[in-house]
């Protein structure tokens, strides 16, 4: 047994690196024969097991990262696609070309799936046969299970599995695999991005910046339709809610077209705010509206609330302080043929609430009848600051309150890092309104923005004693 253990260690030490590409059985035989001595019975066992458990097979079973590029790419900052080539040993099944389709259909769970990789390759020694490439993780011992062998028997295919030398190239690796191989070990790999039309928008961390142009090129290569990759270079802290960005790869064209909830928008991504992760929230709010309702969009952007609301035959008043957003809002209203249904404004949010919103509410609310079903909605999607605008509603109107059903509903967005974000945003809103909203509001979790940072939507009807200032007797 000691000789056997020594023999295995010697074999592993001397032959591990070469076995994956060239398994030489005579060499193994001679090596074992030299050290087996007087234990011929054990030699036979070792010979058999060693032949079928050479390092490439062990790697197939134990290495979850079998498909990694050549290690020489580590630290690469300028993309060299040729350097990613690597040859691996994979299982393959030899079949007649006439029944390849049937075999693929029967063994589809075992067939190797890699980007840009042919599942069927020619047999250089037999033009009437083909090799079906199998997944080594699903055929770890280079032998098929009983059920698969029965299937092949019905197709008159010999179930013997061959070892095939497969060359993997840059095209066959996924973006995560490429970036994990390039970036220093142990560092985070960013392969996710926001897609805005033909633009991929990344938020790279500091340690990834030296590799930013390579990362951009990989993202563009691996995602059809992406022709421009950008990285945000600062946080959104400007008056107009846009941010500086650097083009990492592709064309320097940031005017793009997007489609959200079956509505098209055009915009300059470098000058206006657009977040594709808010598509569901836009649809949720618009779904609350009925034909004939009135929507006041205080921070309208390019129109993701305003335009679909107009499509639902609502009357819409949309405002944005950013001149570029206002310009694209007008453009998108025309693009979607709702320019006659949307009144657009280029004002500060407070001025919009104290001006056009107050005028419209002062005119419309006194005319409401008890049975009238028109609803008024005010959307305030500026999460960083919107709560601070709620004090505008204090005594915004003068006169006797309208019926409770006619009181406007506010949908105010905010960020919270509190352990109880719903209670946090409610308390902040109550402080600005000067009244309690207990039992009169609902908080909806929109999305997780960052670790311990949530985006919420607080919806409530403005209390009559807040909205109205009654005239002195």
């Amino acid at each position: 047994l000691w000789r056997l253990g020594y023999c295995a260690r010697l074999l592993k030490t001397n032959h591990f690196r070469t076995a994956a590409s060239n398994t030489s059985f005579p060499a193994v035989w001679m090596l074992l024969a030299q050290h087996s001595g007087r234990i011929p019975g054990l030699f036979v066992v070792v010979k058999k097991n060693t032949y079928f458990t050479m390092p490439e097979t062990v790697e197939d079973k134990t290495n979850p990262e079998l498909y990694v590029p050549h290690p020489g790419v580590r630290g690469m900052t300028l993309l060299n696609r040729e350097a990613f080539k690597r040859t691996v040993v994979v299982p393959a099944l030899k079949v007649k070309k006439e029944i390849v389709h049937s075999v693929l259909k029967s063994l589809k769970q075992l067939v190797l799936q890699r980007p840009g990789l042919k599942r069927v390759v020619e047999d250089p020694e037999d033009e009437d046969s083909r090799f079906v490439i199998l997944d080594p993780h699903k055929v770890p011992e280079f032998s098929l299970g009983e059920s698969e062998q029965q299937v092949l028997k019905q197709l008159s295919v010999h179930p013997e599995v061959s070892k095939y030398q497969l060359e993997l190239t840059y095209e066959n690796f996924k973006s995560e695999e490429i970036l994990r191989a390039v970036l220093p070990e142990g560092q985070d790999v960013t392969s996710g991005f926001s897609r805005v039309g033909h633009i991929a928008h990344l938020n790279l961390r500091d340690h990834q910046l030296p590799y930013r142009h390579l990362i951009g090129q990989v993202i563009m290569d691996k995602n059809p339709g992406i022709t421009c990759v950008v990285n945000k270079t600062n946080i959104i802290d400007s008056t107009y809610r846009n941010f500086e960005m650097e083009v990492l790869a592709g064309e320097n064209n940031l005017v793009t077209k997007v489609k959200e909830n079956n509505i098209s928008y055009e915009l300059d991504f470098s000058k206006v705010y657009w977040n594709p992760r808010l598509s569901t929230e836009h649809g949720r709010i618009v779904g609350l509206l009925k034909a004939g309702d009135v929507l006041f969009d205080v921070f309208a952007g390019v129109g993701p609330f305003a335009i679909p609301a107009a499509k639902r035959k609502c009357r819409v008043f949309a405002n944005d302080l950013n001149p570029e957003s206002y310009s694209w809002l007008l453009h998108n209203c025309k693009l979607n043929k709702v320019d006659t249904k949307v009144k657009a404004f280029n004002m500060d949010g407070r001025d919009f609430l104290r001006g056009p919103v107050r005028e419209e509410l002062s005119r419309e609310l006194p005319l409401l009848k008890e049975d009238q079903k028109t609803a008024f909605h005010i959307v305030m999607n500026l999460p960083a600051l919107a709560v601070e605008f709620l004090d505008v509603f204090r005594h915004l109107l003068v006169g006797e309150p309208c019926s409770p059903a006619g009181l406007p509903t506010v949908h105010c967005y905010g960020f919270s890092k509190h352990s109880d974000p719903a209670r946090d945003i409610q308390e902040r809103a109550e402080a600005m309104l000067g009244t309690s909203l207990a039992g009169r509001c609902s908080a909806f979790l929109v999305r997780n923005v960052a670790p311990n940072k949530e985006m919420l939507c607080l919806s409530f009807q403005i209390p009559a004693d807040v909205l109205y200032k009654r005239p002195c007797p």
Side-chain angles (χ1 to χ4, degrees):
L1 290 174
W2 178 86
R3 289 178 183 274
L4 175 61
Y6 174 76
C7 201
R9 289 195 299 275
L10 187 62
L11 174 64
K12 181 177 180 181
T13 302
N14 293 345
H15 293 269
F16 182 85
R17 293 187 179 181
T18 59
S21 60
N22 182 21
T23 302
S24 175
F25 186 76
V28 176
W29 180 290
M30 292 301 296
L31 179 65
L32 288 172
Q34 292 172 13
H35 297 279
S36 61
R38 298 181 298 276
I39 319 177
L42 280 178
F43 171 67
V44 174
V45 175
V46 173
K47 179 198 71 171
K48 179 179 179 181
N49 289 344
T50 304
Y51 180 68
F52 288 104
T53 57
M54 291 304 290
E56 72 268 17
T57 309
V58 174
E59 186 182 53
D60 291 344
K61 291 180 60 179
T62 61
N63 186 2
E65 296 184 353
L66 172 66
Y67 305 114
V68 294
H70 191 281
V73 303
R74 181 76 67 189
M76 178 187 294
T77 56
L78 183 63
L79 183 61
N80 176 10
R81 296 175 180 84
E82 290 296 315
F84 287 83
K85 288 183 178 180
R86 182 190 174 190
T87 300
V88 295
V89 179
V90 297
L93 193 64
K94 184 174 180 178
V95 300
K96 293 296 182 182
K97 63 181 182 181
E98 295 81 7
I99 60 171
V100 165
H101 180 73
S102 299
V103 173
L104 286 174
K105 187 176 180 180
S106 301
L107 300 181
K108 61 182 179 180
Q109 298 299 328
L110 301 183
V111 175
L112 181 59
Q113 303 286 345
R114 299 293 302 171
L117 186 70
K118 292 182 178 180
R119 299 176 297 172
V120 179
V121 296
E122 294 183 357
D123 182 352
E125 299 178 357
D126 185 357
E127 62 179 15
D128 294 327
S129 298
R130 298 290 184 268
F131 280 116
V132 175
I133 307 300
L134 304 179
D135 190 333
H137 291 119
K138 297 177 181 178
V139 189
E141 299 291 345
F142 285 83
S143 61
L144 298 171
E146 187 66 30
S147 59
E148 288 83 6
Q149 292 188 33
Q150 289 295 329
V151 170
L152 294 178
K153 186 176 180 180
Q154 295 175 5
L155 296 172
S156 300
V157 177
H158 193 277
E160 181 182 2
V161 177
S162 305
K163 294 182 179 180
Y164 185 84
Q165 298 275 346
L166 178 66
E167 183 182 67
L168 296 176
T169 66
Y170 173 82
E171 286 70 26
N172 305 136
F173 293 111
K174 301 175 183 177
S175 57
E176 295 88 346
E177 295 167 339
I178 293 173
L179 299 181
R180 191 177 295 113
V182 170
L183 268 64
E185 292 187 65
Q187 292 191 357
D188 294 335
V189 173
T190 296
S191 59
F193 58 89
S194 296
R195 181 164 184 168
V196 183
H198 68 277
I199 302 170
H201 170 219
L202 305 176
N203 289 324
L204 297 181
R205 299 183 180 182
D206 290 343
H207 71 268
Q208 297 165 335
L209 293 179
Y211 308 91
R212 62 188 184 278
H213 294 292
L214 180 144
I215 293 173
Q217 188 63 53
V218 171
I219 294 297
M220 192 167 70
D221 288 346
K222 298 297 179 178
N223 294 274
I226 296 293
T227 59
C228 176
V229 182
V230 300
N231 178 48
K232 182 173 69 175
T233 58
N234 68 344
I235 61 174
I236 303 174
D237 59 357
S238 69
T239 304
Y240 297 147
R241 293 186 74 201
N242 52 11
F243 46 78
E244 295 179 4
M245 59 183 68
E246 177 186 11
V247 176
L248 304 182
E251 59 184 357
N252 189 6
N253 174 22
L254 298 178
V255 175
T256 187
K257 186 172 185 176
V258 297
K259 197 165 188 177
E260 179 184 274
N261 299 326
N262 297 317
I263 295 178
S264 296
Y265 303 87
E266 294 179 355
L267 53 101
D268 186 335
F269 189 56
S270 65
K271 296 180 180 178
V272 304
Y273 180 81
W274 179 269
N275 190 337
R277 295 186 177 94
L278 295 178
S279 171
T280 301
E281 180 61 12
H282 296 152
R284 184 182 75 88
I285 294 297
V286 173
L288 302 175
L289 307 178
K290 304 182 300 294
D293 286 352
V294 180
L295 174 69
F296 300 101
D297 194 350
V298 185
F299 312 106
V302 299
F305 286 112
I307 291 173
K311 288 279 190 179
R312 292 177 72 96
K313 300 182 179 179
C314 297
R315 289 190 294 125
V316 179
F317 296 77
N319 171 74
D320 202 281
L321 176 63
N322 183 354
E324 288 289 337
S325 296
Y326 171 73
S327 176
W328 286 106
L329 172 63
L330 295 176
H331 174 82
N332 287 314
C333 286
K334 292 181 179 178
L335 180 66
N336 290 280
K337 301 177 181 175
V338 293
D339 47 308
T340 60
K341 300 176 183 178
V342 178
K343 292 185 178 180
F345 302 86
N346 180 207
M347 307 171 66
D348 176 79
R350 289 181 178 275
D351 296 335
F352 176 65
L353 289 168
R354 289 173 175 155
V357 175
R358 174 159 53 186
E359 293 172 7
E360 189 65 20
L361 291 177
S362 299
R363 181 167 54 251
E364 292 287 336
L365 293 182
L367 302 178
L368 284 181
K369 299 178 182 179
E370 291 293 335
D371 59 346
Q372 195 164 335
K373 297 182 179 180
T374 300
F376 296 85
H377 293 263
I378 302 174
V379 174
M380 304 175 69
N381 185 20
L382 185 65
L385 297 172
V387 173
E388 299 176 14
F389 284 71
L390 293 178
D391 64 319
V392 175
F393 293 117
R394 292 188 186 185
H395 296 169
L396 183 65
L397 304 181
V398 177
E400 291 296 324
C402 65
S403 64
L407 292 171
T409 297
V410 173
H411 307 282
C412 181
Y413 292 84
F415 295 131
S416 177
K417 295 183 179 180
H418 197 274
S419 59
D420 187 349
R423 182 166 63 88
D424 173 51
I425 194 170
Q426 179 181 328
E427 291 177 350
R428 287 158 50 201
E430 291 172 338
M432 299 305 295
L433 292 169
T435 191
S436 172
L437 294 176
R440 298 191 285 184
C441 69
S442 63
F444 181 82
L445 179 62
V446 177
R447 69 186 188 98
N448 177 259
V449 178
N452 302 318
K453 184 177 181 180
E454 309 290 346
M455 177 179 175
L456 300 95
C457 175
L458 186 73
S459 296
F460 60 91
Q461 275 193 301
I462 308 174
D465 57 343
V466 172
L467 183 63
Y468 283 91
K469 178 182 179 180
R470 299 194 180 189
C472 296

